[in-house]
Amino acid sequence: MTGSPQYQPPTQKSVADIAGPWVDPDFESGLIQRCRRYWSTPIGELPNQMLATYLRQSIAVGPVAEEARRRLEHQLDDQTELYDGELRAALDNAER
């Protein structure tokens, strides 16, 4: 097949479906709060910043990377990245 990759719909599984229920750590931080907030959100509905965060933290890497690739291939930018190229950088690092 030639041309652009065929569109694949986003996954409806959440990180909780893959990694299990949230378990509170013994400390609190902004990172912990963000991860907890989106833990049960379907991966296909996560903001790009959270996809990048989960990739950097090695959380549910396979499905999160798949969604990140889908968004990058289709240039789906939701304006949530902390800096331009954050999602691409997180994906590239996770794939190394």
Side-chain angles (χ1 to χ4, degrees):
M1 173 181 254
T2 60
S4 65
Q6 185 175 7
Y7 177 82
Q8 294 292 321
T11 182
Q12 291 303 303
K13 285 188 175 184
S14 68
V15 171
D17 293 329
I18 297 160
W22 178 263
V23 177
D24 275 321
D26 294 334
F27 61 95
E28 192 68 28
S29 69
L31 173 62
I32 297 293
Q33 291 171 355
R34 284 190 307 279
C35 289
R36 181 188 313 119
R37 176 177 176 202
Y38 290 102
W39 199 255
S40 296
T41 301
I43 291 170
E45 296 176 20
L46 291 172
N48 286 357
Q49 180 193 20
M50 282 312 301
L51 291 175
T53 298
Y54 285 142
L55 287 171
R56 283 192 299 270
Q57 298 302 314
S58 299
I59 297 172
V61 172
V64 172
E66 180 181 324
E67 178 63 17
R69 278 190 295 276
R70 182 186 74 81
R71 291 191 192 180
L72 291 167
E73 287 170 7
H74 296 282
Q75 299 178 355
L76 302 175
D77 183 2
D78 63 5
Q79 303 294 310
T80 62
E81 294 176 61
L82 295 176
Y83 58 89
D84 289 342
E86 178 187 19
L87 184 56
R88 167 59 63 197
L91 179 60
D92 289 348
N93 190 48
E95 290 179 331
R96 284 190 199 126

